[in-house]
Amino acid sequence: MSYPSTLDAHGLRNWAHRAVGELSHRRAEINALNVFPVPDSDTGSNMAHTMEAAVAEVEKGDGDVAAALAMGAVRGARGNSGMVLSQVLRGVAEATVDSTIDGAIFAASLMHAVELVDRAIAEPVEGTVITVLRCAAEKAEHTARQPESSFHGVVAETISAAQKALAETPSQLPELRAAGVVDAGGAGLVILLEALLAEIEGTTSHAPESMEETVTELEVVFFFEGDSAVLKEKIAPLGTSLVIAQASDDSASIHIHSTQAGVVIETAFAAGSVSNLRLEALPETSASRGDTGAGHTRTVYAAVPAGPVAELVQSAGVTVLQPGETIHAAGEDIVLSSGLEEHATAAHTVEISSLAAGLAAISVYEPDNADTAAVVESMRDAAQSMRVAHPAEETEAAIAKTCRQLLAAGGEQVTVISPLAISQEELAAELGVDVVALQVPDIPTEIGVE
Protein backbone atom coordinates (compact mmCIF):
# COMPACT_ATOMS: atom_id res chain seq x y z
CA MET A 1 0.00 0.00 0.00
CA SER A 2 1.18 3.50 -0.78
CA TYR A 3 1.48 6.03 2.02
CA PRO A 4 2.35 9.74 1.91
CA SER A 5 6.05 10.55 2.04
CA THR A 6 5.46 13.68 4.10
CA LEU A 7 2.95 15.32 6.41
CA ASP A 8 2.23 19.00 5.83
CA ALA A 9 0.88 21.54 8.31
CA HIS A 10 -2.66 20.19 7.91
CA GLY A 11 -1.50 16.65 8.60
CA LEU A 12 0.52 17.81 11.61
CA ARG A 13 -2.55 19.53 13.01
CA ASN A 14 -4.62 16.37 12.44
CA TRP A 15 -1.96 14.32 14.28
CA ALA A 16 -2.26 16.64 17.25
CA HIS A 17 -6.04 16.26 17.33
CA ARG A 18 -5.70 12.48 17.07
CA ALA A 19 -3.25 12.52 19.97
CA VAL A 20 -5.64 14.54 22.12
CA GLY A 21 -8.43 12.07 21.40
CA GLU A 22 -6.28 9.02 22.13
CA LEU A 23 -4.68 10.39 25.30
CA SER A 24 -8.11 11.46 26.55
CA HIS A 25 -9.68 8.12 25.64
CA ARG A 26 -6.94 6.18 27.44
CA ARG A 27 -6.31 8.63 30.27
CA ALA A 28 -7.63 6.31 32.99
CA GLU A 29 -5.53 3.45 31.60
CA ILE A 30 -2.34 5.52 31.78
CA ASN A 31 -3.23 6.93 35.21
CA ALA A 32 -3.56 3.38 36.53
CA LEU A 33 0.09 2.69 35.55
CA ASN A 34 1.37 5.74 37.44
CA VAL A 35 3.50 4.49 40.37
CA PHE A 36 6.77 6.40 39.76
CA PRO A 37 8.09 8.85 40.90
CA VAL A 38 4.89 9.47 42.91
CA PRO A 39 1.87 7.12 42.78
CA ASP A 40 -0.58 10.00 42.26
CA SER A 41 -2.40 8.55 39.22
CA ASP A 42 -2.15 11.68 37.11
CA THR A 43 0.29 10.90 34.27
CA GLY A 44 -2.48 10.23 31.77
CA SER A 45 -4.28 13.40 32.78
CA ASN A 46 -1.04 15.40 32.60
CA MET A 47 -0.17 14.20 29.11
CA ALA A 48 -3.71 14.75 27.85
CA HIS A 49 -3.73 18.27 29.30
CA THR A 50 -0.35 19.09 27.75
CA MET A 51 -1.50 17.96 24.31
CA GLU A 52 -4.77 19.86 24.70
CA ALA A 53 -2.80 23.02 25.46
CA ALA A 54 -0.80 22.43 22.27
CA VAL A 55 -3.96 22.07 20.19
CA ALA A 56 -5.55 25.12 21.80
CA GLU A 57 -2.56 27.20 20.71
CA VAL A 58 -2.85 25.93 17.14
CA GLU A 59 -6.58 26.67 17.08
CA LYS A 60 -5.84 30.35 17.63
CA GLY A 61 -4.90 30.23 13.96
CA ASP A 62 -1.73 32.32 14.09
CA GLY A 63 1.63 31.35 12.60
CA ASP A 64 3.41 28.07 12.00
CA VAL A 65 1.55 24.94 13.15
CA ALA A 66 4.60 23.11 14.48
CA ALA A 67 5.78 26.19 16.37
CA ALA A 68 2.31 26.73 17.82
CA LEU A 69 2.08 23.11 18.99
CA ALA A 70 5.44 23.41 20.71
CA MET A 71 4.62 26.74 22.32
CA GLY A 72 1.25 25.55 23.60
CA ALA A 73 2.70 22.32 24.97
CA VAL A 74 5.63 24.01 26.71
CA ARG A 75 3.37 26.61 28.31
CA GLY A 76 0.76 24.06 29.32
CA ALA A 77 3.04 21.16 30.28
CA ARG A 78 1.99 19.30 33.41
CA GLY A 79 4.28 16.97 35.31
CA ASN A 80 7.44 15.27 34.08
CA SER A 81 5.58 13.33 31.41
CA GLY A 82 3.96 16.48 30.06
CA MET A 83 7.33 18.19 29.98
CA VAL A 84 8.82 15.33 27.95
CA LEU A 85 5.89 15.43 25.54
CA SER A 86 6.35 19.18 25.12
CA GLN A 87 10.00 18.66 24.23
CA VAL A 88 9.04 16.11 21.57
CA LEU A 89 6.82 18.75 19.96
CA ARG A 90 9.57 21.33 20.39
CA GLY A 91 11.94 18.94 18.64
CA VAL A 92 9.52 18.73 15.72
CA ALA A 93 9.17 22.51 15.57
CA GLU A 94 12.92 23.09 15.54
CA ALA A 95 13.65 20.37 12.98
CA THR A 96 11.02 21.19 10.37
CA VAL A 97 10.50 23.98 7.88
CA ASP A 98 6.95 25.14 7.11
CA SER A 99 5.53 22.42 9.40
CA THR A 100 6.36 19.64 6.94
CA ILE A 101 7.91 16.40 8.18
CA ASP A 102 9.23 13.24 6.52
CA GLY A 103 11.18 10.26 7.81
CA ALA A 104 14.50 12.09 8.16
CA ILE A 105 12.95 15.13 9.84
CA PHE A 106 10.94 12.89 12.17
CA ALA A 107 14.13 11.09 13.23
CA ALA A 108 15.95 14.39 13.72
CA SER A 109 13.01 15.66 15.79
CA LEU A 110 13.22 12.75 18.21
CA MET A 111 17.00 12.95 18.54
CA HIS A 112 16.73 16.67 19.26
CA ALA A 113 13.98 15.96 21.80
CA VAL A 114 16.33 13.59 23.62
CA GLU A 115 18.93 16.37 23.84
CA LEU A 116 16.32 18.83 25.12
CA VAL A 117 15.04 16.42 27.78
CA ASP A 118 18.56 15.55 28.93
CA ARG A 119 19.24 19.25 29.43
CA ALA A 120 15.94 19.81 31.23
CA ILE A 121 16.14 16.93 33.74
CA ALA A 122 19.02 17.11 36.21
CA GLU A 123 18.88 13.45 37.29
CA PRO A 124 17.24 11.30 34.59
CA VAL A 125 16.04 7.86 35.69
CA GLU A 126 16.23 4.84 33.41
CA GLY A 127 13.10 2.78 32.98
CA THR A 128 10.92 5.84 32.46
CA VAL A 129 9.58 7.77 29.47
CA ILE A 130 13.12 9.10 28.98
CA THR A 131 14.38 5.61 28.18
CA VAL A 132 11.49 4.93 25.82
CA LEU A 133 12.11 8.23 24.01
CA ARG A 134 15.83 7.55 23.63
CA CYS A 135 15.28 4.04 22.22
CA ALA A 136 12.64 5.36 19.83
CA ALA A 137 14.92 8.17 18.65
CA GLU A 138 17.89 5.87 18.06
CA LYS A 139 15.74 3.46 16.04
CA ALA A 140 14.24 6.29 14.01
CA GLU A 141 17.67 7.69 13.17
CA HIS A 142 19.01 4.24 12.20
CA THR A 143 16.00 3.44 10.00
CA ALA A 144 15.97 6.86 8.31
CA ARG A 145 19.59 6.32 7.19
CA GLN A 146 18.76 3.11 5.34
CA PRO A 147 18.51 3.22 1.53
CA GLU A 148 14.96 3.54 0.26
CA SER A 149 13.57 4.12 3.74
CA SER A 150 10.07 5.60 3.80
CA PHE A 151 8.31 7.93 6.21
CA HIS A 152 5.79 5.20 7.05
CA GLY A 153 8.57 2.67 7.57
CA VAL A 154 10.56 4.97 9.85
CA VAL A 155 7.56 5.69 12.07
CA ALA A 156 6.47 2.04 12.17
CA GLU A 157 9.96 0.87 13.16
CA THR A 158 10.17 3.63 15.74
CA ILE A 159 6.93 2.49 17.35
CA SER A 160 8.18 -1.10 17.50
CA ALA A 161 11.33 0.05 19.27
CA ALA A 162 9.33 2.23 21.66
CA GLN A 163 6.97 -0.65 22.49
CA LYS A 164 9.93 -2.94 23.16
CA ALA A 165 11.58 -0.35 25.41
CA LEU A 166 8.30 0.18 27.25
CA ALA A 167 7.92 -3.54 27.88
CA GLU A 168 11.40 -3.60 29.42
CA THR A 169 10.85 -0.72 31.85
CA PRO A 170 9.81 -3.00 34.77
CA SER A 171 13.22 -4.69 34.59
CA GLN A 172 14.89 -1.28 35.01
CA LEU A 173 12.81 0.26 37.77
CA PRO A 174 12.02 -1.62 41.02
CA GLU A 175 8.82 0.39 41.62
CA LEU A 176 7.39 -0.74 38.29
CA ARG A 177 8.46 -4.33 38.85
CA ALA A 178 6.83 -4.42 42.29
CA ALA A 179 3.57 -3.03 40.95
CA GLY A 180 3.63 -5.23 37.85
CA VAL A 181 3.21 -2.32 35.44
CA VAL A 182 5.13 -0.53 32.69
CA ASP A 183 6.04 3.15 32.88
CA ALA A 184 3.01 5.41 32.52
CA GLY A 185 4.82 8.22 30.70
CA GLY A 186 6.39 5.75 28.29
CA ALA A 187 2.95 4.33 27.54
CA GLY A 188 1.70 7.82 26.76
CA LEU A 189 4.62 8.43 24.40
CA VAL A 190 3.84 5.21 22.51
CA ILE A 191 0.23 6.39 22.12
CA LEU A 192 1.48 9.71 20.73
CA LEU A 193 3.60 7.88 18.14
CA GLU A 194 0.77 5.50 17.26
CA ALA A 195 -1.46 8.50 16.59
CA LEU A 196 1.13 9.75 14.09
CA LEU A 197 1.18 6.39 12.30
CA ALA A 198 -2.63 6.39 12.18
CA GLU A 199 -2.54 9.83 10.55
CA ILE A 200 -0.04 8.63 7.94
CA GLU A 201 -2.15 5.54 7.21
CA GLY A 202 -5.40 7.50 7.26
CA THR A 203 -6.97 5.15 9.79
CA THR A 204 -8.74 5.70 13.09
CA SER A 205 -6.63 4.97 16.16
CA HIS A 206 -9.60 3.53 18.03
CA ALA A 207 -12.74 2.94 16.03
CA PRO A 208 -15.99 4.53 17.19
CA GLU A 209 -19.14 2.47 17.04
CA SER A 210 -20.82 2.01 13.70
CA MET A 211 -22.60 5.07 12.29
CA GLU A 212 -21.28 7.29 15.08
CA GLU A 213 -19.04 10.31 15.17
CA THR A 214 -16.46 10.74 17.92
CA VAL A 215 -16.48 14.18 19.54
CA THR A 216 -13.66 15.46 21.75
CA GLU A 217 -14.57 18.27 24.09
CA LEU A 218 -12.21 20.38 26.14
CA GLU A 219 -12.98 21.80 29.55
CA VAL A 220 -11.80 25.43 29.49
CA VAL A 221 -11.31 27.24 32.81
CA PHE A 222 -9.85 30.71 33.29
CA PHE A 223 -10.05 33.87 35.38
CA PHE A 224 -11.53 36.77 33.46
CA GLU A 225 -11.37 40.50 34.12
CA GLY A 226 -13.86 42.50 32.10
CA ASP A 227 -17.58 42.52 31.34
CA SER A 228 -18.56 38.91 32.04
CA ALA A 229 -22.13 39.49 30.83
CA VAL A 230 -20.82 40.42 27.39
CA LEU A 231 -18.44 37.44 27.41
CA LYS A 232 -21.26 35.09 28.41
CA GLU A 233 -23.34 36.22 25.44
CA LYS A 234 -20.43 35.54 23.07
CA ILE A 235 -19.26 32.14 24.34
CA ALA A 236 -22.53 30.55 25.48
CA PRO A 237 -23.27 29.29 21.92
CA LEU A 238 -19.78 27.74 21.74
CA GLY A 239 -20.27 25.04 24.36
CA THR A 240 -22.12 23.58 27.33
CA SER A 241 -21.85 23.56 31.14
CA LEU A 242 -21.05 27.27 31.18
CA VAL A 243 -20.39 28.50 34.73
CA ILE A 244 -19.53 32.12 35.55
CA ALA A 245 -18.61 32.58 39.22
CA GLN A 246 -18.34 36.31 39.90
CA ALA A 247 -15.41 37.37 42.08
CA SER A 248 -16.36 41.05 41.77
CA ASP A 249 -18.41 43.27 39.48
CA ASP A 250 -15.72 43.14 36.81
CA SER A 251 -14.01 39.77 37.36
CA ALA A 252 -15.08 36.13 37.40
CA SER A 253 -13.94 32.52 37.09
CA ILE A 254 -15.19 31.03 33.83
CA HIS A 255 -15.85 27.34 33.12
CA ILE A 256 -17.15 25.87 29.85
CA HIS A 257 -17.08 22.58 27.92
CA SER A 258 -16.48 23.12 24.22
CA THR A 259 -15.31 21.48 21.01
CA GLN A 260 -14.21 24.98 19.94
CA ALA A 261 -11.77 25.72 22.75
CA GLY A 262 -9.57 27.85 20.51
CA VAL A 263 -12.49 30.10 19.61
CA VAL A 264 -13.53 30.38 23.27
CA ILE A 265 -10.02 31.41 24.29
CA GLU A 266 -9.62 33.87 21.44
CA THR A 267 -13.00 35.44 22.27
CA ALA A 268 -12.09 35.77 25.94
CA PHE A 269 -8.76 37.44 25.20
CA ALA A 270 -10.49 39.87 22.85
CA ALA A 271 -13.12 40.75 25.47
CA GLY A 272 -10.86 41.37 28.47
CA SER A 273 -7.94 40.09 30.54
CA VAL A 274 -7.44 36.32 30.88
CA SER A 275 -5.27 34.55 33.47
CA ASN A 276 -4.96 31.11 35.11
CA LEU A 277 -6.02 29.44 31.86
CA ARG A 278 -6.46 25.66 32.16
CA LEU A 279 -7.64 23.11 29.63
CA GLU A 280 -8.53 19.48 30.17
CA ALA A 281 -9.84 16.84 27.78
CA LEU A 282 -13.24 15.43 28.62
CA PRO A 283 -14.05 11.80 27.86
CA GLU A 284 -14.92 11.37 24.20
CA THR A 285 -18.63 11.23 23.47
CA SER A 286 -20.27 9.34 20.65
CA ALA A 287 -23.24 11.03 19.00
CA SER A 288 -25.23 9.17 16.39
CA ARG A 289 -25.62 11.06 13.14
CA GLY A 290 -28.84 13.04 13.25
CA ASP A 291 -29.35 12.31 16.97
CA THR A 292 -29.08 15.31 19.28
CA GLY A 293 -29.67 13.28 22.43
CA ALA A 294 -33.09 14.87 22.97
CA GLY A 295 -35.11 13.14 25.63
CA HIS A 296 -32.10 12.04 27.67
CA THR A 297 -32.71 12.51 31.39
CA ARG A 298 -30.29 12.09 34.27
CA THR A 299 -29.96 13.75 37.67
CA VAL A 300 -26.76 14.31 39.63
CA TYR A 301 -27.11 14.68 43.38
CA ALA A 302 -24.63 16.16 45.85
CA ALA A 303 -24.78 17.31 49.46
CA VAL A 304 -22.78 20.54 49.77
CA PRO A 305 -22.86 23.57 52.09
CA ALA A 306 -25.25 26.38 51.26
CA GLY A 307 -23.79 29.51 49.73
CA PRO A 308 -21.07 29.84 47.04
CA VAL A 309 -20.40 26.10 46.76
CA ALA A 310 -24.07 25.26 46.35
CA GLU A 311 -24.51 28.04 43.79
CA LEU A 312 -21.50 26.80 41.84
CA VAL A 313 -22.62 23.17 41.62
CA GLN A 314 -26.21 24.14 40.88
CA SER A 315 -25.02 26.21 37.92
CA ALA A 316 -23.34 23.02 36.63
CA GLY A 317 -26.70 21.22 36.65
CA VAL A 318 -26.31 19.36 39.96
CA THR A 319 -29.19 18.90 42.41
CA VAL A 320 -28.09 20.11 45.84
CA LEU A 321 -29.25 18.21 48.90
CA GLN A 322 -29.56 19.35 52.47
CA PRO A 323 -27.53 17.48 55.12
CA GLY A 324 -29.35 14.28 56.07
CA GLU A 325 -31.78 14.48 53.15
CA THR A 326 -32.68 11.14 51.58
CA ILE A 327 -31.73 10.75 47.93
CA HIS A 328 -34.35 9.16 45.70
CA ALA A 329 -32.01 8.21 42.89
CA ALA A 330 -32.16 5.34 40.44
CA GLY A 331 -31.41 4.27 36.89
CA GLU A 332 -29.00 6.64 35.17
CA ASP A 333 -28.81 9.08 38.09
CA ILE A 334 -25.42 9.87 39.63
CA VAL A 335 -24.83 10.36 43.34
CA LEU A 336 -21.76 12.03 44.80
CA SER A 337 -21.58 9.98 47.97
CA SER A 338 -19.59 10.37 51.16
CA GLY A 339 -21.00 7.04 52.33
CA LEU A 340 -23.55 8.65 54.65
CA GLU A 341 -26.44 9.21 52.28
CA GLU A 342 -29.32 6.84 51.63
CA HIS A 343 -30.07 6.26 47.98
CA ALA A 344 -31.33 3.60 45.61
CA THR A 345 -28.69 1.02 44.71
CA ALA A 346 -29.56 1.30 41.01
CA ALA A 347 -27.98 4.75 40.82
CA HIS A 348 -24.37 5.31 39.79
CA THR A 349 -22.17 6.37 42.69
CA VAL A 350 -19.07 8.57 42.74
CA GLU A 351 -17.40 8.15 46.12
CA ILE A 352 -15.92 11.36 47.51
CA SER A 353 -13.82 11.80 50.64
CA SER A 354 -13.86 15.59 50.73
CA LEU A 355 -15.66 18.67 49.45
CA ALA A 356 -12.67 19.45 47.20
CA ALA A 357 -12.91 15.97 45.65
CA GLY A 358 -16.61 16.54 45.05
CA LEU A 359 -15.94 19.82 43.27
CA ALA A 360 -13.29 18.12 41.13
CA ALA A 361 -15.82 15.47 40.09
CA ILE A 362 -18.51 18.05 39.34
CA SER A 363 -16.07 20.13 37.27
CA VAL A 364 -15.83 17.33 34.68
CA TYR A 365 -19.52 16.42 34.66
CA GLU A 366 -21.03 16.43 31.14
CA PRO A 367 -24.81 16.88 31.25
CA ASP A 368 -25.11 16.46 27.47
CA ASN A 369 -23.15 13.20 27.30
CA ALA A 370 -25.64 10.32 27.12
CA ASP A 371 -22.90 7.77 27.95
CA THR A 372 -23.40 7.72 31.72
CA ALA A 373 -20.72 5.09 32.29
CA ALA A 374 -18.09 7.31 30.64
CA VAL A 375 -19.29 10.33 32.61
CA VAL A 376 -19.07 8.43 35.90
CA GLU A 377 -15.59 7.12 35.07
CA SER A 378 -14.37 10.65 34.40
CA MET A 379 -15.91 11.97 37.63
CA ARG A 380 -14.40 9.15 39.70
CA ASP A 381 -11.01 9.76 38.10
CA ALA A 382 -11.18 13.47 39.00
CA ALA A 383 -12.28 12.77 42.58
CA GLN A 384 -9.60 10.15 43.19
CA SER A 385 -6.80 12.33 41.84
CA MET A 386 -7.53 15.11 44.35
CA ARG A 387 -5.14 15.17 47.35
CA VAL A 388 -6.63 16.96 50.36
CA ALA A 389 -5.26 18.45 53.59
CA HIS A 390 -6.34 20.85 56.34
CA PRO A 391 -4.08 23.61 57.68
CA ALA A 392 -3.06 23.51 61.34
CA GLU A 393 -4.44 27.02 61.85
CA GLU A 394 -7.14 29.10 60.21
CA THR A 395 -4.71 31.72 58.92
CA GLU A 396 -3.56 32.75 55.45
CA ALA A 397 0.03 31.85 56.33
CA ALA A 398 -0.98 28.34 57.44
CA ILE A 399 -3.07 27.87 54.30
CA ALA A 400 -0.14 28.88 52.05
CA LYS A 401 2.18 26.54 53.98
CA THR A 402 -0.19 23.59 53.57
CA CYS A 403 -0.53 24.35 49.86
CA ARG A 404 3.25 24.22 49.45
CA GLN A 405 3.42 20.93 51.35
CA LEU A 406 0.81 19.36 49.08
CA LEU A 407 2.51 20.70 45.96
CA ALA A 408 5.82 19.16 47.00
CA ALA A 409 4.47 15.86 45.64
CA GLY A 410 3.37 17.54 42.40
CA GLY A 411 0.23 19.29 41.22
CA GLU A 412 -1.03 21.92 38.80
CA GLN A 413 -4.09 23.40 40.53
CA VAL A 414 -5.00 24.21 44.11
CA THR A 415 -8.57 24.48 45.41
CA VAL A 416 -9.04 26.32 48.71
CA ILE A 417 -12.41 26.16 50.48
CA SER A 418 -12.22 28.36 53.55
CA PRO A 419 -14.19 30.72 55.79
CA LEU A 420 -11.39 33.22 55.13
CA ALA A 421 -11.39 35.57 52.15
CA ILE A 422 -8.44 34.20 50.17
CA SER A 423 -7.18 36.10 47.11
CA GLN A 424 -6.76 33.41 44.48
CA GLU A 425 -4.65 35.73 42.30
CA GLU A 426 -2.16 36.48 45.10
CA LEU A 427 -1.96 32.84 46.20
CA ALA A 428 -1.52 31.71 42.58
CA ALA A 429 1.36 34.14 42.15
CA GLU A 430 2.98 32.87 45.35
CA LEU A 431 2.59 29.18 44.51
CA GLY A 432 3.13 29.33 40.76
CA VAL A 433 0.04 27.23 39.96
CA ASP A 434 -3.63 27.86 39.24
CA VAL A 435 -5.72 28.57 42.34
CA VAL A 436 -9.48 28.43 42.86
CA ALA A 437 -10.59 29.92 46.20
CA LEU A 438 -14.13 29.75 47.58
CA GLN A 439 -15.22 31.48 50.78
CA VAL A 440 -17.67 29.30 52.74
CA PRO A 441 -18.67 30.37 56.27
CA ASP A 442 -18.58 28.05 59.27
CA ILE A 443 -16.44 25.22 57.86
CA PRO A 444 -12.80 24.29 58.51
CA THR A 445 -10.45 25.19 55.67
CA GLU A 446 -9.94 22.40 53.15
CA ILE A 447 -7.21 22.42 50.53
CA GLY A 448 -7.15 20.16 47.50
CA VAL A 449 -4.40 19.68 44.92
CA GLU A 450 -4.78 17.97 41.55
Side-chain angles (χ1 to χ4, degrees):
M1 182 176 291
S2 177
Y3 298 109
S5 59
T6 65
L7 277 188
D8 58 11
H10 180 72
L12 203 59
R13 178 179 178 276
N14 286 349
W15 169 39
H17 277 277
R18 284 178 181 269
V20 167
E22 282 301 299
L23 290 169
S24 174
H25 180 72
R26 300 175 66 178
R27 176 174 53 185
E29 172 191 334
I30 302 172
N31 284 343
L33 301 173
N34 184 198
V35 299
F36 182 88
V38 179
D40 49 8
S41 301
D42 65 356
T43 294
S45 299
N46 287 344
M47 297 188 82
H49 172 88
T50 302
M51 201 67 210
E52 292 147 22
V55 168
E57 187 69 23
V58 169
E59 293 305 320
K60 292 180 181 179
D62 298 326
D64 182 85
V65 170
L69 286 173
M71 180 62 71
V74 170
R75 287 177 174 174
R78 285 189 176 183
N80 287 340
S81 56
M83 186 281 296
V84 172
L85 189 157
S86 75
Q87 297 307 293
V88 170
L89 295 181
R90 182 183 166 194
V92 171
E94 296 182 1
T96 186
V97 176
D98 296 329
S99 296
T100 299
I101 61 174
D102 58 13
I105 292 174
F106 171 70
S109 299
L110 293 186
M111 291 301 295
H112 186 40
V114 171
E115 296 173 357
L116 294 171
V117 171
D118 284 344
R119 290 203 298 264
I121 299 180
E123 297 180 1
V125 177
E126 294 303 320
T128 64
V129 61
I130 300 171
T131 304
V132 178
L133 174 60
R134 184 182 302 112
C135 292
E138 291 173 351
K139 185 64 173 181
E141 184 180 52
H142 174 76
T143 306
R145 288 177 176 176
Q146 303 307 305
E148 299 182 2
S149 65
S150 67
F151 185 23
H152 179 273
V154 171
V155 176
E157 288 295 317
T158 299
I159 291 173
S160 295
Q163 291 170 334
K164 181 175 184 295
L166 177 64
E168 293 174 352
T169 55
S171 67
Q172 299 169 292
L173 207 54
E175 290 87 347
L176 300 179
R177 186 164 58 250
V181 298
V182 296
D183 179 68
L189 177 62
V190 169
I191 290 171
L192 180 73
L193 297 175
E194 289 174 341
L196 176 60
L197 185 63
E199 178 60 28
I200 295 170
E201 295 179 343
T203 59
T204 54
S205 301
H206 67 272
E209 295 181 24
S210 177
M211 295 302 291
E212 295 186 337
E213 295 176 345
T214 301
V215 181
T216 300
E217 277 191 313
L218 297 185
E219 176 191 50
V220 185
V221 181
F222 55 91
F223 190 77
F224 178 75
E225 294 177 88
D227 191 330
S228 55
V230 172
L231 179 65
K232 177 181 179 180
E233 183 178 349
K234 292 181 177 179
I235 67 173
L238 301 176
T240 61
S241 302
L242 175 61
V243 177
I244 299 180
Q246 293 290 153
S248 66
D249 290 342
D250 57 0
S251 65
S253 288
I254 311 294
H255 168 283
I256 188 171
H257 295 173
S258 178
T259 57
Q260 304 177 68
V263 179
V264 170
I265 295 167
E266 184 177 355
T267 302
F269 272 101
S273 175
V274 175
S275 59
N276 294 341
L277 175 64
R278 178 171 65 86
L279 298 99
E280 177 114 10
L282 297 167
E284 293 182 345
T285 64
S286 295
S288 297
R289 291 188 178 94
D291 180 10
T292 63
H296 170 71
T297 59
R298 177 177 61 216
T299 302
V300 178
Y301 297 92
V304 297
V309 176
E311 293 172 4
L312 181 62
V313 301
Q314 282 177 323
S315 66
V318 176
T319 299
V320 174
L321 301 164
Q322 300 300 317
E325 183 177 349
T326 299
I327 304 172
H328 300 288
E332 293 296 289
D333 292 345
I334 302 173
V335 178
L336 271 66
S337 173
S338 61
L340 302 177
E341 305 90 344
E342 296 180 5
H343 56 83
T345 56
H348 298 269
T349 302
V350 177
E351 298 292 342
I352 58 171
S353 58
S354 65
L355 184 54
L359 291 178
I362 291 169
S363 72
V364 300
Y365 172 58
E366 298 174 273
D368 297 324
N369 185 353
D371 188 347
T372 301
V375 172
V376 171
E377 180 183 358
S378 177
M379 295 176 73
R380 287 172 177 167
D381 176 42
Q384 292 170 2
S385 66
M386 180 69 76
R387 304 193 311 277
V388 177
H390 301 272
E393 300 175 352
E394 292 293 336
T395 65
E396 292 185 20
I399 290 172
K401 179 180 179 180
T402 303
C403 289
R404 289 192 293 271
Q405 290 172 340
L406 283 170
L407 288 169
E412 292 79 31
Q413 177 172 307
V414 172
T415 299
V416 179
I417 307 167
S418 173
L420 304 180
I422 303 298
S423 170
Q424 58 187 27
E425 293 76 27
E426 292 179 4
L427 187 57
E430 179 180 346
L431 300 175
V433 297
D434 291 344
V435 172
V436 175
L438 293 174
Q439 186 175 14
V440 181
D442 304 321
I443 67 168
T445 295
E446 182 176 288
I447 302 169
V449 168
E450 56 181 316

